[in-house]
Amino acid sequence: MKYLLLFSFYIASIFPSEMLAQIQTPFEYLDVFQLEYANDPQISPDGKHVVYRRTGFDIMEDKSTASLWLIDVDGNNHRKLTSQDKAEGNAIWSPNCDQIAFTSGTENGSEIYVYWLQSGTLARLTQLEMSPSSLAWSPDGKSIAFTMKVAAKAPVIAMMPEKPKDAKWAKTPRITDRLKHEADGAGYIKPGFTHIFTISAEGGSPRQLTSGEFNHRGGLSWAPDGTKIYFSANLNADWEYDFRNSEVYSVDTRNLQIKTLTDRNGPDGNPMISPDGKHIAYVGFEDKVQAYQVRQLHIMDSNGDNVKSISEALDRDIDNATWASDSKGLYFMYNDKGITKLAYISINGNVTDIADNVGGTTLGRPYASGNFSVSNNGTIAYTISKPDRPAEIAITSKGNKGAKTITALNEDILAYRKLGKVEEMWYTSSVDNRDIQGYAVYPPDYDSAKKYPLLVENHGGPILNYGPHFSAEMQLYAAAGYIVFYPNPRGSTSYGEEFGNLLYNNYPGEDYNDVMDGVDAMIAKGNVDAGKLYVTGGSAGGIMTAWMIGKNNRFKAAVVAKPVMNWISKTLVADNYYGYANSRYPGQPWENFDVYWKFSPLSLVGNVETPTMVMVGMDDLRTPPSEAKQLYHALKLRKIETVLVEIPEASHGIAARPSNLITKIAHTLAWFDKYK
């Protein structure tokens, strides 16, 4: 004991307590289970409180867990909203701030609950056949509107004879006649249509406001007098094949009459009536049938007249628009050069940036994300993104030069981890001298005097973007000793419509050159070992990875995750099989076989010499396992070093379960380490 005390004294003398508190270790696989992030912050109309969804992970059940938490805007009184140990979400404040409605899971699906702030009383309002969504309080606080799927019967083709008693016959066949009948992550979609309902805030029976064989999805917006609810849908007779189109409608809550307020070829959605009831704002565009089009913010009179776009000059997608309480403008989010911004736009189209660090709600890879809400007095709650932290809740307002972060969900783990530095970089495309943006993550103990292996990570989409957000994948790659480079080549969003649409009838195309130019730019910095290059990516990133190793042999190893290898087979077997013709490639595969094959990475497989791991989720419906197997089988036949990793119980979003995220990263690093 004496020697132990002396040793403890010696350690304390050379490492003061404040230094001991800052000792950091590298980010590790199991740390993923300790991460949390804030999402969907809903500030009360009086600007005093924020209710938000706090998401973490259960290491024993290998799944995410989410519950609602309440906090004052000054950061005090942070507590769990209810004592329920169930999934909670979709929280909305009543107009007078005394109640919070939300959805919570039960044994039979989600239900609507109400929480009374003053008393702490919790009540379940519903017992529904299906799960509700898109909750919206009526202006008088007496009703709640929501959407819910109403089941329909599957088609019956033949009448089977009755089986003998206790006979063990095979299950009946699953029959569908719908264009859209399955979805990645959800599997088979049961027949039915989504409709709008209302229910008394005191409980009772739901009232169905819409009907027919049409889907009424998305957000709901009550007229100030409560007589109408505005929504978007496609009520055209040929809606199933006219799948890119939608319009703005209103339904009268008294007589259920529906009025059409927009009429053009393209998606018009997310209608929001202004607080004074004079204007409706909505997001959409005239469909030109191309790879990418910017979603513009429009306003029109409440009767549908005087339509105009107020965001056309911005040339960026408008997200999560919400009216200011004075009806003179709207708050919204947009992505600009990899950064997610929060801004305000007047009804005349003048834009004022408020914050440039929104996001942090995607933990696997650093995609754009995030959300916000605004109180009647202009106080804003939003998810703040930092390169070294998942999303927290921050408070700001228009004209405020800064923001106050009021949560610290990850300090118990990340304060004690040494993370890789994230650095923005710009370089010039060799194709047309365009400026291309990328990001690099450096090993935690980076030494500028040394050279490191380079790991290229291609983003999915391809109409998406990466940004300077926290990413468990990038940090684990960096912790393993790699400089990680992730670019936003042409086709990425946040650089305008023309840049995103460069992939129209040309994918993969010069986006390949943009990535390789970035690799050369990284090497030119002098810190990369040009003989140790590695490449990976998932989905569209898997396509790019397969394309890259078919175009050159510069990489020592590759991991191609959930790719499309053959556009002909992919287009007709994926869950979104009907959506590619003309917007991605001209015509259907049987009409333009040569073009579909020309852009298929499988057409280059005869050139591949790179050792390649092929990875896919076994339940993937977006890029089905048959696509990955085409690459694996081709490489095996050519006797190229390869291995197939099939992840069970994983859909296209392999990282949906924490252990699968770890599986993906661990196998990628093991493959690369084999060829160091």
Side-chain angles (χ1 to χ4, degrees):
M1 177 64 74
K2 175 181 177 181
Y3 294 110
L4 181 60
L5 289 172
L6 287 173
F7 180 73
S8 298
F9 176 78
Y10 172 72
I11 290 295
S13 67
I14 62 173
F15 294 108
S17 59
E18 61 267 24
M19 291 183 65
L20 284 171
Q22 296 176 8
I23 292 177
Q24 296 175 316
T25 58
F27 189 63
E28 299 176 347
Y29 291 131
L30 289 180
D31 290 339
V32 170
F33 281 100
Q34 308 306 318
L35 297 175
E36 295 182 89
Y37 65 92
N39 202 0
D40 192 23
Q42 294 296 316
I43 193 166
S44 57
D46 60 13
K48 294 181 179 180
H49 314 284
V50 177
V51 60
Y52 73 95
R53 196 170 193 236
R54 181 172 178 173
T55 300
F57 302 99
D58 186 329
I59 194 170
M60 301 305 293
E61 297 291 332
D62 190 22
K63 66 179 183 180
S64 64
T65 60
S67 58
L68 295 175
W69 284 65
L70 189 66
I71 188 171
D72 297 345
V73 293
D74 60 6
N76 293 323
N77 298 318
H78 192 198
R79 70 270 194 194
K80 193 174 184 300
L81 184 68
T82 75
S83 60
Q84 292 190 125
D85 188 20
K86 301 175 182 177
E88 298 171 334
N90 304 304
I92 53 168
W93 289 91
S94 64
N96 59 6
C97 307
D98 65 341
Q99 295 169 273
I100 299 172
F102 63 95
T103 60
S104 181
T106 70
E107 293 180 356
N108 299 314
S110 293
E111 301 289 352
I112 299 175
Y113 288 74
V114 170
Y115 177 86
W116 280 262
L117 204 65
Q118 185 173 0
S119 65
T121 302
L122 177 69
R124 189 177 81 174
L125 292 190
T126 61
Q127 190 171 357
L128 303 171
E129 293 184 10
M130 300 281 190
S131 296
S133 58
S134 303
L135 276 59
W137 282 94
S138 63
D140 61 9
K142 294 182 179 180
S143 301
I144 299 171
F146 63 95
T147 60
M148 183 181 70
K149 185 174 184 177
V150 177
K153 292 183 179 180
V156 176
I157 296 177
M159 297 300 297
M160 291 289 291
E162 185 176 350
K163 67 178 181 180
K165 182 180 179 181
D166 299 327
K168 296 180 180 180
W169 285 17
K171 292 182 179 179
T172 56
R174 191 173 72 190
I175 299 172
T176 188
D177 56 6
R178 294 163 289 154
L179 183 74
K180 178 72 174 179
H181 59 92
E182 60 183 0
D184 183 72
Y188 176 72
I189 302 172
K190 293 182 178 180
F193 297 92
T194 300
H195 289 289
I196 300 172
F197 296 78
T198 58
I199 191 170
S200 168
E202 297 178 352
S205 299
R207 179 186 181 217
Q208 185 171 333
L209 303 187
T210 60
S211 59
E213 295 185 346
F214 304 100
N215 288 305
H216 308 71
R217 299 193 182 105
L220 305 176
S221 180
W222 287 83
D225 62 4
T227 60
K228 292 183 177 65
I229 295 175
Y230 298 90
F231 64 96
S232 64
N234 187 340
L235 305 185
N236 298 331
D238 198 35
W239 64 269
E240 194 170 20
Y241 289 86
D242 190 23
F243 53 85
R244 276 191 290 267
N245 190 40
S246 62
E247 307 295 348
V248 173
Y249 303 88
S250 67
V251 58
D252 193 302
T253 58
R254 299 160 299 182
N255 56 30
L256 308 188
Q257 289 187 351
I258 290 178
K259 181 179 180 181
T260 305
L261 297 172
T262 61
D263 182 18
R264 67 173 176 178
N265 182 29
D268 292 326
N270 304 111
M272 299 149 286
I273 186 74
S274 59
D276 62 10
K278 295 181 179 180
H279 297 99
I280 297 171
Y282 63 98
V283 176
F285 55 79
E286 182 81 30
D287 190 8
K288 293 177 282 190
V289 190
Q290 57 189 41
Y292 172 62
Q293 290 181 241
V294 164
R295 296 187 302 273
Q296 297 180 18
L297 180 61
H298 299 75
I299 60 170
M300 60 183 172
D301 297 342
S302 59
N303 63 0
D305 293 339
N306 298 316
V307 176
K308 66 176 181 178
S309 169
I310 63 173
S311 70
E312 187 173 3
L314 185 61
D315 193 28
R316 297 291 187 269
D317 283 321
I318 302 298
D319 292 313
N320 297 3
T322 184
W323 282 99
S325 59
D326 61 7
S327 300
K328 294 181 179 180
L330 298 100
Y331 296 88
F332 69 100
M333 286 168 33
Y334 72 101
N335 291 313
D336 181 47
K337 299 176 181 177
I339 304 293
T340 305
K341 296 184 177 183
L342 173 62
Y344 172 88
I345 186 170
S346 69
I347 58 175
N348 295 321
N350 297 318
V351 175
T352 302
D353 286 343
I354 299 171
D356 61 1
N357 52 7
V358 184
T361 60
T362 60
L363 295 188
R365 294 191 277 172
Y367 285 117
S369 63
N371 34 61
F372 74 96
S373 62
V374 185
S375 70
N376 291 336
N377 64 10
T379 304
I380 303 169
Y382 73 97
T383 53
I384 188 169
S385 171
K386 298 178 181 179
D388 62 349
R389 295 291 186 277
E392 303 283 357
I393 302 298
I395 302 296
T396 191
S397 61
K398 181 185 174 187
N400 190 340
K401 295 183 179 179
K404 179 183 179 181
T405 303
I406 60 173
T407 60
L409 305 183
N410 291 283
E411 293 311 297
D412 57 343
I413 177 70
L414 294 183
Y416 304 97
R417 297 293 181 268
K418 192 170 186 178
L419 299 175
K421 177 184 177 182
V422 179
E423 181 179 272
E424 178 189 23
M425 64 173 291
W426 287 87
Y427 57 96
T428 302
S429 169
S430 62
V431 176
D432 50 16
N433 294 317
R434 292 177 185 270
D435 292 331
I436 306 296
Q437 186 186 35
Y439 293 90
V441 186
Y442 294 88
D445 293 317
Y446 174 72
D447 182 348
S448 60
K450 296 181 179 179
K451 289 184 180 291
Y452 293 84
L454 180 70
L455 190 159
V456 181
E457 216 288 341
N458 295 299
H459 74 63
I463 311 295
L464 284 174
N465 71 79
Y466 275 157
H469 311 295
F470 177 84
S471 164
E473 289 195 31
M474 306 301 181
Q475 289 294 337
L476 286 168
Y477 292 147
Y482 293 85
I483 293 178
V484 186
F485 170 60
Y486 57 95
N488 282 331
R490 67 191 61 212
S492 300
T493 52
S494 78
Y495 306 93
E497 183 170 304
E498 189 265 346
F499 187 85
N501 199 44
L502 289 171
L503 299 186
Y504 180 50
N505 293 345
N506 187 35
Y507 171 65
E510 288 76 26
D511 46 331
Y512 159 76
N513 302 86
D514 292 347
V515 176
M516 294 308 302
D517 289 337
V519 172
D520 291 334
M522 290 295 298
I523 294 173
K525 287 176 174 286
N527 309 115
V528 169
D529 184 340
K532 293 184 177 180
L533 306 180
Y534 304 85
V535 62
T536 187
S539 194
I543 298 170
M544 177 53 65
T545 302
W547 194 259
M548 288 167 67
I549 60 176
K551 286 282 189 176
N552 70 72
N553 295 318
R554 294 178 62 183
F555 296 92
K556 295 202 69 175
V559 175
V560 178
K562 49 187 181 182
V564 173
M565 291 304 300
N566 183 339
W567 283 111
I568 300 165
S569 56
K570 141 73 178 181
T571 301
L572 294 175
V573 298
D575 66 331
N576 59 349
Y577 69 100
Y578 51 83
Y580 284 90
N582 301 316
S583 63
R584 179 61 58 79
Y585 305 116
Q588 296 286 359
W590 58 88
E591 299 169 332
N592 210 338
F593 179 92
D594 291 343
V595 171
Y596 276 76
W597 179 249
K598 172 185 174 182
F599 292 108
S600 296
L602 193 62
S603 68
L604 302 177
V605 78
N607 302 331
V608 176
E609 300 295 335
T610 306
T612 301
M613 172 181 284
V614 186
M615 185 183 301
V616 69
M618 295 176 72
D619 296 334
D620 193 332
L621 294 177
R622 183 61 46 85
T623 55
S626 58
E627 290 296 311
K629 288 179 180 179
Q630 288 183 64
L631 174 59
Y632 172 67
H633 291 161
L635 294 180
K636 288 300 291 183
L637 289 172
R638 293 193 56 240
K639 298 184 179 179
I640 303 298
E641 292 182 83
T642 185
V643 64
L644 176 64
V645 177
E646 298 178 282
I647 302 178
E649 299 180 25
S651 58
H652 193 63
I654 289 175
R657 297 182 70 175
S659 69
N660 282 341
L661 172 62
I662 295 170
T663 293
K664 176 186 175 185
I665 300 167
H667 282 77
T668 298
L669 288 173
W671 186 252
F672 290 165
D673 288 347
K674 181 179 177 181
Y675 298 96
K676 270 191 175 179

